[in-house]
Amino acid sequence: MKSKGCNDIMDKKVIGGYCVCFLLIIILLLFMISGNSSPYGIKNGDIHLEVQDNGLLKVQEVYTYTIKETVDTINRTIERDNGENISNLKVYTSGAYSEFNIEENSNSTNITTFLYKDESKNQKINNKEITVVYEYDLTQALKLYNDVGIFQYKLYDNKEVVPINNLSFKINYSSKEGVNFWINPYDVAENTKFHWENSSLIIENISTNFMTNNIEFSSTIPKNEFSINNTYATIIDDTKAEDITKAQENYENNYKRNNIVLPLFSVIEIMSLLLPIGVYIKYRRKPKLTFKEIEEPPTDDKPIFVNSIIYSTQIIRGRPNINALKAVILDLIEKNVLSYNLYEDTIILKIITNKKDLLDYELEALNLLKLFEDENNCINLNKIKIQLKKGNNSKIYTKKIKKWEENYQEQNDISKFIDNTYLDIFFKYGKILLIILIIPVILNLVAPHPFFIYNIITGIIMIIVYFILGKMLSRVNWTEYGMEYYLKWMAFRKYLNDLSLIKEHPPESKNWNKYIIYATALGCEDCILKSMKDLNLKNNLYNFYHIGGIKLLNRIFE
């Protein structure tokens, strides 16, 4: 009897899963845009840098903090390139009592300023505006080449997390003649205004937000602006002016390209999530069939074949499992290829060698049992578990079982049962996904861009969706023939697994050994054996069960 099933529920679950993923994207983007959760913000930042003719850079940083909640510390990290040093560091505060701690690391100076409301330094600051001033000398930061002096200074470090609402920068040169300067990232420079006042360069309204990468100021200065006594500069015997100009041009061109390409890749990443669901709708729909219990085997296929179809997965197609191996052993007993005896509560198997018409998988199953033969060609089932614990027996045994499964899988054509179209497309999609994820990473390495954070977010979501889909779709995608075959055998399994049905409607063929073997292949031999016991039906395989043979096989193959 055929009737409508509920396979459309899975379609709804998949579509619902996609909706959740898209909602996750929106939530993450809104979270990023919403800003930081720091207990304080920086209202103003004013940096003043003076380039002296001996190579010394004198720096003053003035930050106005808006305290939103109760805080006791404000942190400032000044990163240093190799060889650079900070000296004469001083910290001043206005609007709060304070003290500070300095921690020197190999490439950074970490300053922790402790803030207090009262002079006795017992009460924390809250809901107040304060100013912190950092003054220090930076040495060996200026690189003096044969043709030009070059230095770089980080105006804003996104590791500080807190954006600066209004950042300005002033730098004093000995002369503005021949001076070149750049602000990176490129889009920050493009939206920043600057002007000269005599030999002082003033840059105002430098934009910082949650997307801003490190903002760096770079400048080249004619070498003749420096004195002979360049104690605080790093002297390099080389020329550099042309190289740094060309490098900046290449960076700007790459950055402009990333302005277009990286957002485009985010769109591609998001849109690519629609591909699997489109393929799912086309290929993954299952025929909506169900069958009531079936009292006879639906086909005359061998138990190992039925097992390989029923327990097949999309990843491991047509491979039998341990239930099939047990069924093969029982079938060999039924064919008198194997004999069994009970000797003092010990079950002994013996291989009868006069059978030459065995199939490959049966011969391989016998070879597996031969691992445990003693000098009398007897296989003691009670001792196999103990033997497996000795030496490499367990590894050899596991490899042979795996080989047995794989060899049968290779010889087993189940193309008319399973449609692999969706899986093949899904794996190709995985390769495309990898390319889509790698390209933005490479582009960002060439010219770091703030939009790359969105590529990371959408990329992570793509990976999560891919693995969720992989898990969901690892089950079999049946053809219509395969689905009908599967459902019929599952209906037969339901019959074998129901004691009341077996007692009420015993099998017509009366070949109980065949039913025991099929039930073993389908993982439900216990019920039919209990029914045989209740019906007082005894035969060769029932006796093997009765003396504990099947129980021992279960223990060995568990």
Side-chain angles (χ1 to χ4, degrees), residues 179-198:
V179 169
N180 291 313
F181 68 91
W182 301 272
I183 297 177
N184 291 321
Y186 175 75
D187 62 342
V188 174
E190 197 175 34
N191 297 306
T192 299
K193 295 181 180 180
F194 69 91
H195 65 276
W196 288 90
E197 289 184 0
N198 297 322

Side-chain angles (χ1 to χ4, degrees), residues 47-300:
I47 302 172
H48 184 191
L49 191 147
E50 181 181 344
V51 183
Q52 298 189 347
D53 62 2
N54 59 2
L56 181 68
L57 302 180
K58 296 190 75 67
V59 184
Q60 182 188 67
E61 302 175 358
V62 182
Y63 298 107
T64 302
Y65 294 89
T66 303
I67 308 298
K68 305 173 187 177
E69 303 171 12
T70 300
V71 298
D72 54 2
T73 61
I74 285 177
N75 300 306
R76 169 80 176 104
T77 299
I78 305 170
E79 293 190 356
R80 296 177 276 103
D81 288 338
N82 292 334
E84 294 182 358
N85 293 299
I86 288 176
S87 59
N88 300 324
L89 176 60
K90 301 180 182 65
V91 181
Y92 308 98
T93 58
S94 172
Y97 296 94
S98 64
E99 56 189 9
F100 64 92
N101 178 63
I102 300 173
E103 180 184 347
E104 295 287 354
N105 294 321
S106 57
N107 293 313
S108 67
T109 299
N110 303 316
I111 308 164
T112 303
T113 305
F114 299 89
L115 303 173
Y116 306 97
K117 184 185 292 187
D118 58 328
E119 190 174 1
S120 60
K121 299 178 181 179
N122 292 320
Q123 299 181 43
K124 297 179 181 180
I125 290 288
N126 66 330
N127 299 322
K128 193 173 183 181
E129 198 172 274
I130 65 163
T131 300
V132 181
V133 180
Y134 304 94
E135 290 183 355
Y136 55 92
D137 295 339
L138 193 56
T139 62
Q140 269 61 56
L142 189 138
K143 309 296 188 288
L144 199 57
Y145 292 85
N146 295 334
D147 56 346
V148 71
I150 300 174
F151 76 91
Q152 295 173 317
Y153 178 78
K154 192 171 288 185
L155 296 174
Y156 175 76
D157 187 346
N158 64 354
K159 291 179 183 177
E160 300 286 351
V161 179
V162 184
I164 303 173
N165 292 337
N166 184 18
L167 177 62
S168 60
F169 175 62
K170 179 179 180 181
I171 178 169
N172 293 349
Y173 296 96
S174 298
S175 169
K176 72 175 184 178
E177 297 301 321
V179 169
N180 291 313
F181 68 91
W182 301 272
I183 297 177
N184 291 321
Y186 175 75
D187 62 342
V188 174
E190 197 175 34
N191 297 306
T192 299
K193 295 181 180 180
F194 69 91
H195 65 276
W196 288 90
E197 289 184 0
N198 297 322
S199 59
S200 296
L201 174 65
I202 299 173
I203 305 173
E204 297 176 319
N205 299 322
I206 302 171
S207 174
T208 70
N209 54 53
F210 76 96
M211 279 184 60
T212 305
N213 284 331
N214 298 332
I215 300 177
E216 193 169 70
F217 178 86
S218 304
S219 182
T220 61
I221 308 168
K223 186 177 180 181
N224 57 21
E225 295 292 336
F226 299 96
S227 65
I228 298 175
N229 182 20
N230 297 305
T231 310
Y232 301 108
T234 300
I235 310 299
I236 301 174
D237 185 16
D238 196 1
T239 56
K240 196 68 174 177
E242 186 176 344
D243 291 343
I244 195 170
T245 301
K246 187 178 292 186
Q248 181 65 27
E249 288 175 357
N250 290 336
Y251 162 77
E252 290 181 4
N253 290 332
N254 290 327
Y255 195 95
K256 291 174 184 176
R257 177 205 61 209
N258 284 357
N259 270 340
I260 300 171
V261 176
L262 292 183
L264 179 62
F265 264 90
S266 269
V267 173
I268 292 172
E269 287 169 358
I270 294 171
M271 296 302 295
S272 70
L273 297 177
L274 298 174
L275 175 63
I277 194 170
V279 179
Y280 179 93
I281 291 171
K282 184 173 182 180
Y283 294 105
R284 184 72 179 145
R285 300 274 182 173
K286 295 181 181 179
K288 299 176 181 179
L289 307 170
T290 58
F291 292 89
K292 289 186 176 181
E293 298 82 2
I294 297 176
E295 298 169 9
E296 298 292 330
T299 69
D300 60 356

